[in-house]
Amino acid sequence: MNVSVTCLRPFARFLVPFTLQRRKRNLYPIILQRYMCSKIPAVPYPNKENSSPPAQLELDGWKTTMKSSLQEESVSTVSNKDEDSFAATRELIEMWRLLGKEVPEHITEEELKTVMECPSKASKKKYLKYLSIKEKLKKARQMKKEVKAIAREEAKKAKLLETTEEKQQNFLFLRLWDRNMNIAMDWKGAQAMQFGQPLVFDMAYDNCMNSKEMRNTVSQVLESEGWNRRNVDPFHIYFCNLKIDSAYHRELVKCYKQKWDKLLLTATEKSYADLFPKDSIVYLTADSPNVMTTFKHDKVYVIGSLVDKNMKPGLSLAKAKQQGLATQRLPLDKYLQWDIGTKNLTLDQMIRILLCLKNTGDWQEALRFVPKRKHSGYLEVSQYSQDFVNKLKKTKTFSSYPQNSLNVGKQKK
Amino acid sequence: MAFCLSGFRSFPKLWKNKPYFELDPGHSSLCFFSPGYCAIRSQQRWFSLKTMSPQNNKAMDLLIANTRFLKKGDKDHKKQVSSDSSYLFAAGAAKKRSLLTNLQSKDHALLKERSSIQLPTKPLNSEEWDRLKEDFEGKANFEDWISSQMTQCHASIDVAKSLLAWVAAKNNGIVSYNLLVKYLYLCVIHKQTSEVIDVYEIMKSRYKRLESSGYGLLIRGLIHSDRWREALLLLEDMKKVMIPSKKNYSDCIQGALLHQDVDTAWNLYQELLGHNIIPMMETLKAFFDFGKGIKDDHYSNKLLDILLYLRNNQLYPGESFVHSIKTWFESMPGKQWKGQFTTIQESGQCLGCGKTLESIHLSPEEYEYLKGKIMKDVIDGGDQYRKTTPQELKRFQEFVNSCPPFDIVIDGLNVGKMYTKARDSQVLLNVVSQLAKQNLQLLVLGRKHMLTRNARWRKDEMEMIQKQASCFFADNISEDDPFLLYATLNSGNHCKFITNDLMRDHKACLPDVKTQHLFFKWQQGHQLAIINRFPGSKITFQSILRYDTVVQTTGDSWHIPYDEDLVERYSYEVPTKWLCLQRKT
């Protein structure tokens, strides 16, 4: 850890000769025991600094031992400013760890660079906390793995002791379930590619997101694709506006690896407006004024694939407005007693809801996938319509547009 | 009856807050201000509360739960402005409004899980510490926990020292860094400089580098000693990895001033400004306090620069700082400054000296600049589709340019929704017709859904409105506030706008702090907020400030607004108290 001495500068005396901690097991305990006598007269508050209590000697024993650690006469001078700040950052993190702050134990060069590029102290701490949580999870997984391995070993041993005679058994199938499932899913996927209903993921938001949001989005896209693959009647997924070599594309290829070219979906640089007739496209966005009442099997639904953590409302609505597309939002208020949280759902929740609607058409069933923490239960539809009627009664005009009387509250923030 | 009134005190919340009794907001807040009425009202209420005794907490909670539920529905009460505060943006106004309209949430002070351990008040020996450790039942590490408790309670350093001695005895004389830092904190709190230096020596010998909190504490501790220059070295060390905080700079500057090293202090101050950090008021106060005895033109010019810095960044000194400023001015030899604390009349005249303060109005260049910025950042914002559409924007601009300049621009939806009980279109019509009688050119902004007939918007009333004022209706999914801002700015300096919206989200769209200050200044001078509590009465507006609340000078006088210690000022409010300084000639 010590930076080697390269040159002596005239200002070397400013650089305080810090040395590294050396584990020294010498006579400290003995010295201490001499200092620590068991009778300590109670002098709670010394009034003056100089009037040291009689207990001072015993109390200050630790200082001598702390100071008397080996003094290495090393004058660390700066050879390379860049390297120095690297080392300094590393040491800062180490000291934070000693202080009990949430920082990782081991840090790679790349991560260290990221830390140094963080503009503020707060962002440094935030990133380090993220790394430390990641590290803890990794450790926990490792532990679990080891425990499992030991358990398996023991089970094996037990089995070996048990099985003394070979028993002839008859089976119908070999155990190749996973492979068969994959093949079956691929057949279905191929079918969907030919005859399935299109579902578009709009990938044009890569410049609105920072790297963290981007990572989250990609993992959500992966999950969505997985849910779709397992369904009885999958969608034919399109990744539209996916520019080759954009951040999005790189991330996806990085996650899927060699599977990327074998995926049964359509990834294209084109826009959905070029692929499908405009009047069949419906852009799903939580900001839309129109509520989706039924799932139409002849429409092309577009989901904007973005994670919006820094509150840029109305991005996807603006896009749909610009292209003159129809927009819809899920009828969350109609069916759920909404509590907290934004009404933007994650991409995988969206696709599961849509798949469920496609197969059953039952909203209650489909909205199972809305996180339970966000609502306090289902609204009775009868109750909703009751409220609706009451509202109309209040307005005393049954002939008016229900849309408007409903939306009055929403018009103004 | 007697009983009720005796118990009256114990229920301040109950009668302060309207939703319990489902009166409209007007009533309850009005009883705040008219004592006669208040008495009658509250007695009536006490009839309804008779059955409740202070012990009946369950009923209380139920009531509170109900009000919470009710509160969800009536958002617009929040915008009601108390008729007490004279001015929408005055310091403390928001606090008052929130007291009027919100429940003071009951302080469910969750009692912390206190361990049964009593903090020792005198140094313990190792056996006693051992015993204490055995008594401790918690998940945390005992040493960490007890030292944290000590720092919280500012225990005496001898107790902390005995803890460290005990820990060192257990671990071969080694005390871990976090315990050292906590001990250092105690030393700094108790101003035990010699101890600080001891710990400093230990840290120097044990560690190559420290981290921010350790450095910060050492700096704060060392500046009072003779070795204060080493605090500057520590600051240099910090700079290698991060920008030091304003507190670190503040400590170093104060250390330099303590030891009469003025140049170092100013250099550090310049460095701090160079990092775009806003200095602590304490730092600036230290310069003024130090300058009291100094007869040095150079130094006093620098102090005047600090005042100009406050002006340019719309910062306001606190009460103690403003006293320091006053003392410094009055201590200047041969200049005969005289300071007094005062307030400003509505006309913008200082009560102390009668001088008129700077006008709230923007200069023509600032005005044009702000107009451009509103257009570019608030309405357009890089994507015209987000708040409106290009077609609509074009339609709006053509409409605005085809009309003569307006005197008043009205936010139709905000005004219409002032009262929950009254019909929107009727409220709006009432406001519009009252203003139209004064021969003002009006513009009403709204959304298209106001034109479709329904219970809240009656067609005949809307037609009446359109007769008396020019109207522009934006799409239902567009925002109307940016149009309001632009229309007002476009009409010129005489034009005002009516809304009770504080426009904070639009202010936040502006790119930099300077522009936001400009916007706020313009808003203070041009926004009319309605303070009526009942529909149908003659409308009255919040008075508009005529003067700008900012540090200002005319050469031989200074006017400095300041924050009082006991008033909570929100970020969109300005102070009301001033320091007026005059030079005797």
Side-chain angles (χ1 to χ4, degrees), chain B residues 335-346:
Chain B
K335 299 266 174 83
Q336 298 227 325
W337 284 92
K338 184 83 196 73
Q340 54 180 330
F341 297 110
T342 172
T343 51
I344 308 293
Q345 287 173 309
E346 269 194 30

Side-chain angles (χ1 to χ4, degrees), chain B residues 67-329:
Chain B
T67 44
R68 290 244 167 88
F69 182 75
L70 280 172
K71 256 177 56 188
K72 270 189 184 171
D74 48 18
K75 265 192 184 161
D76 44 355
H77 290 335
K78 279 193 190 141
K79 291 184 183 164
Q80 295 280 2
V81 181
S82 85
S83 50
D84 181 9
S85 66
S86 57
Y87 168 54
L88 185 66
F89 300 108
K95 186 83 187 158
K96 265 180 201 150
R97 283 199 296 270
S98 71
L99 285 181
L100 280 178
T101 53
N102 290 359
L103 262 182
Q104 292 176 36
S105 57
K106 276 175 72 181
D107 283 333
H108 287 296
L110 284 172
L111 285 171
K112 263 200 210 161
E113 282 286 326
R114 277 278 156 153
S115 170
S116 54
I117 292 185
Q118 287 292 316
L119 273 187
T121 51
K122 57 182 196 296
L124 306 178
N125 59 25
S126 51
E127 288 84 32
E128 284 165 321
W129 278 118
D130 283 329
R131 223 170 302 135
L132 209 55
K133 185 170 179 172
E134 279 162 25
D135 294 344
F136 174 70
E137 40 201 29
K139 281 180 188 166
N141 176 348
F142 171 75
E143 292 84 8
D144 287 353
W145 180 84
I146 196 92
S147 55
S148 304
Q149 289 298 320
M150 282 180 185
T151 50
Q152 271 171 21
C153 307
H154 294 184
S156 78
I157 62 166
D158 280 336
V159 181
K161 223 186 263 184
S162 76
L163 171 75
L164 291 195
W166 170 66
V167 171
K170 283 201 307 183
N171 312 343
N172 302 336
I174 306 293
V175 177
S176 68
Y177 178 71
N178 60 346
L179 292 182
L180 266 183
V181 168
K182 278 164 185 161
Y183 176 67
L184 178 61
Y185 172 80
L186 284 176
C187 298
V188 171
I189 285 284
H190 292 305
K191 299 227 168 15
Q192 300 278 344
T193 310
S194 60
E195 283 298 318
V196 171
I197 287 179
D198 271 348
V199 177
Y200 173 53
E201 290 297 339
I202 288 171
M203 287 189 169
K204 241 183 8 184
S205 62
R206 288 208 79 79
Y207 303 107
K208 194 164 172 224
R209 255 204 195 85
L210 308 179
E211 45 67 63
S212 45
S213 63
Y215 279 131
L217 287 168
L218 281 179
I219 288 173
R220 213 184 313 168
L222 285 175
I223 54 167
H224 298 288
S225 71
D226 301 336
R227 297 170 64 178
W228 67 278
R229 287 208 176 268
E230 294 186 37
L232 302 182
L233 294 181
L234 292 175
L235 192 75
E236 289 299 321
D237 257 354
M238 272 184 101
K239 276 183 218 162
K240 284 178 188 162
V241 267
M242 57 175 64
I243 297 172
S245 70
K246 54 185 174 184
K247 181 76 185 141
N248 300 141
Y249 274 112
S250 174
D251 288 333
C252 287
I253 288 172
Q254 290 191 30
L257 289 176
L258 270 178
H259 297 87
Q260 315 289 324
D261 188 346
V262 182
D263 291 340
T264 306
W266 284 117
N267 288 341
L268 284 168
Y269 176 69
Q270 282 307 330
E271 200 178 290
L272 164 83
L273 294 185
H275 285 307
N276 275 334
I277 305 173
I278 292 184
M280 290 169 77
M281 289 293 166
E282 220 179 292
T283 320
L284 305 180
K285 179 177 185 291
F287 280 120
F288 274 90
D289 285 340
F290 183 79
K292 213 163 73 176
I294 291 189
K295 302 178 182 60
D296 173 8
D297 276 351
H298 183 64
Y299 192 91
S300 31
N301 282 339
K302 289 210 166 188
L303 289 188
L304 295 183
D305 281 347
I306 287 184
L307 289 179
L308 290 179
Y309 174 83
L310 291 179
R311 174 193 169 89
N312 293 335
N313 291 283
Q314 307 240 340
L315 297 167
Y316 306 108
E319 211 162 333
S320 59
F321 182 14
V322 96
H323 277 280
S324 299
I325 295 175
K326 180 168 178 276
T327 352
W328 176 75
F329 267 104

Side-chain angles (χ1 to χ4, degrees), chain B residues 367 405-409 487-497 522 525-526:
Chain B
Y367 196 89
F406 300 105
D407 299 315
I408 297 212
V409 182
T488 314
L489 278 163
N490 194 50
S491 299
N493 210 348
H494 67 285
C495 180
K496 309 264 188 291
F497 63 98
W522 173 79
H526 294 81

Side-chain angles (χ1 to χ4, degrees), chain A residues 67-81:
Chain A
K67 277 183 201 169
S68 63
S69 66
L70 201 71
Q71 290 273 351
E72 268 186 28
E73 284 304 321
S74 69
V75 185
S76 59
T77 43
V78 183
S79 53
N80 179 344
K81 199 169 176 301

Side-chain angles (χ1 to χ4, degrees), chain A residues 94-330:
Chain A
E94 181 56 24
M95 293 313 284
W96 267 340
R97 205 174 63 77
L98 287 180
L99 200 63
K101 289 217 188 306
E102 285 180 305
V103 294
E105 274 179 59
H106 311 288
I107 189 162
T108 63
E109 291 288 313
E110 204 176 325
E111 284 162 346
L112 202 62
K113 230 187 199 116
T114 320
V115 173
M116 284 168 67
E117 279 161 10
C118 286
S120 68
K121 194 165 114 180
S123 58
K124 275 189 176 74
K125 282 186 176 171
K126 203 170 168 181
Y127 180 66
L128 287 169
K129 187 179 172 180
Y130 160 73
L131 288 181
S132 109
I133 288 171
K134 221 165 89 169
E135 200 176 47
K136 273 183 195 151
L137 285 172
K138 202 172 167 181
K139 258 193 195 145
R141 274 199 300 271
Q142 203 69 33
M143 287 279 294
K144 238 181 181 167
K145 228 175 173 172
E146 283 165 16
V147 169
K148 262 187 179 163
I150 291 166
R152 218 178 336 185
E153 284 295 314
E154 280 177 359
K156 233 182 194 168
K157 274 181 195 163
K159 232 181 185 166
L160 281 174
L161 292 173
E162 263 179 42
T163 51
T164 45
E165 54 188 59
E166 280 288 314
K167 237 194 333 187
Q168 187 66 37
Q169 289 179 315
N170 291 324
F171 290 109
L172 184 55
F173 296 113
L174 279 178
R175 291 195 193 184
L176 301 168
W177 301 323
D178 283 359
R179 249 184 72 194
N180 290 332
M181 267 161 71
N182 285 339
I183 292 165
M185 282 196 283
D186 282 352
W187 275 111
K188 262 198 322 218
Q191 220 167 1
M193 289 279 284
Q194 285 179 291
F195 311 111
Q197 182 181 353
L199 178 74
V200 178
F201 282 89
D202 181 11
M203 301 285 195
Y205 296 101
D206 40 6
N207 47 8
C208 314
M209 291 192 280
N210 58 30
S211 58
K212 188 180 172 188
E213 289 170 336
M214 178 64 84
R215 276 200 306 273
N216 292 344
T217 311
V218 168
S219 73
Q220 285 180 21
V221 168
L222 254 65
E223 189 143 337
S224 314
E225 193 271 325
W227 281 109
N228 186 57
R229 201 189 305 175
R230 275 172 240 139
N231 200 274
V232 180
D233 181 15
F235 282 108
H236 174 195
I237 292 185
Y238 283 81
F239 290 162
C240 287
N241 298 322
L242 181 64
K243 301 278 175 289
I244 300 294
D245 264 348
S246 64
Y248 241 137
H249 185 258
R250 276 200 304 272
E251 279 280 336
L252 280 168
V253 174
K254 200 169 96 185
C255 291
Y256 274 115
K257 299 190 178 70
Q258 68 274 35
K259 177 84 177 151
W260 174 246
D261 295 324
K262 301 193 186 77
L263 278 180
L264 293 164
L265 49 80
T266 309
T268 166
E269 290 200 3
K270 283 188 200 154
S271 166
Y272 38 87
D274 307 333
L275 296 171
F276 307 105
K278 213 171 186 174
D279 53 359
S280 71
I281 297 177
V282 176
Y283 209 117
L284 296 174
T285 162
D287 301 316
S288 167
N290 315 314
V291 185
M292 183 171 170
T293 47
T294 50
F295 180 87
K296 300 265 193 327
H297 293 271
D298 55 346
K299 294 273 185 211
V300 178
Y301 288 101
V302 181
I303 299 174
S305 59
L306 85 152
V307 169
D308 173 27
K309 286 202 172 172
N310 49 1
M311 304 299 285
K312 284 180 289 227
L315 260 183
S316 47
L317 183 66
K319 200 166 174 213
K321 251 168 53 176
Q322 184 178 355
Q323 296 169 333
L325 302 170
T327 58
Q328 285 187 346
R329 62 182 154 94
L330 293 179

Side-chain angles (χ1 to χ4, degrees), chain B residues 299-549:
Chain B
Y299 192 91
S300 31
N301 282 339
K302 289 210 166 188
L303 289 188
L304 295 183
D305 281 347
I306 287 184
L307 289 179
L308 290 179
Y309 174 83
L310 291 179
R311 174 193 169 89
N312 293 335
N313 291 283
Q314 307 240 340
L315 297 167
Y316 306 108
E319 211 162 333
S320 59
F321 182 14
V322 96
H323 277 280
S324 299
I325 295 175
K326 180 168 178 276
T327 352
W328 176 75
F329 267 104
E330 288 173 346
S331 74
M332 253 195 272
K335 299 266 174 83
Q336 298 227 325
W337 284 92
K338 184 83 196 73
Q340 54 180 330
F341 297 110
T342 172
T343 51
I344 308 293
Q345 287 173 309
E346 269 194 30
S347 58
Q349 278 182 315
C350 166
L351 277 172
C353 59
K355 280 204 176 76
T356 309
L357 295 192
E358 281 180 38
S359 159
I360 189 88
H361 291 307
L362 274 55
S363 70
E365 304 83 58
E366 287 173 335
Y367 196 89
E368 281 309 310
Y369 172 79
L370 181 67
K371 196 164 130 183
K373 281 285 178 196
I374 292 267
M375 194 69 202
K376 189 174 148 298
D377 293 303
V378 180
I379 300 181
D380 189 318
D383 180 5
Q384 294 189 343
Y385 287 93
R386 281 185 61 180
K387 292 186 174 173
T388 167
T389 60
Q391 299 83 14
E392 188 175 53
L393 197 57
K394 199 156 164 257
R395 183 167 74 93
F396 174 72
Q397 281 177 310
E398 279 168 5
F399 165 82
V400 167
N401 293 333
S402 67
C403 297
F406 300 105
D407 299 315
I408 297 212
V409 182
I410 302 169
D411 184 348
L413 278 162
N414 187 292
V415 170
K417 298 205 175 294
M418 268 195 307
Y419 314 108
T420 38
K421 294 269 192 299
R423 192 172 47 241
D424 298 358
S425 54
Q426 197 182 356
V427 175
L428 185 57
L429 176 62
N430 181 19
V431 172
V432 168
S433 51
Q434 282 192 47
L435 290 168
K437 275 181 199 142
Q438 303 169 28
N439 272 334
L440 296 168
Q441 279 286 342
L442 303 179
L443 166 63
V444 175
L445 282 167
R447 291 208 185 99
K448 281 180 178 158
H449 73 82
M450 294 159 69
L451 295 174
T452 51
R453 248 194 5 204
N454 62 44
R456 291 212 146 287
W457 301 100
R458 286 235 320 250
K459 207 156 185 123
D460 53 337
E461 285 168 341
M462 288 310 290
E463 276 165 6
M464 301 258 286
I465 289 169
Q466 282 171 327
K467 276 199 191 98
Q468 294 172 337
S470 325
C471 294
F472 181 84
F473 297 101
D475 293 339
N476 289 342
I477 52 172
S478 294
E479 295 221 18
D480 51 358
D481 294 340
F483 291 134
L484 173 95
L485 297 176
Y486 185 77
T488 314
L489 278 163
N490 194 50
S491 299
N493 210 348
H494 67 285
C495 180
K496 309 264 188 291
F497 63 98
I498 299 182
T499 177
N500 284 9
D501 192 326
L502 292 166
M503 303 277 174
R504 285 169 290 178
D505 45 347
H506 305 295
K507 191 165 71 178
C509 294
L510 293 168
D512 55 89
V513 183
K514 283 266 188 290
T515 320
Q516 289 182 7
H517 285 322
L518 271 188
F519 176 82
F520 182 54
K521 186 173 166 181
W522 173 79
Q523 187 189 1
Q524 286 180 66
H526 294 81
Q527 176 164 8
L528 292 164
I530 299 179
I531 49 175
N532 292 44
R533 308 212 139 266
F534 307 107
S537 54
K538 185 163 182 348
I539 41 170
T540 42
F541 297 112
Q542 282 277 2
S543 56
I544 283 190
L545 271 195
R546 309 232 179 112
Y547 57 91
D548 188 12
T549 310

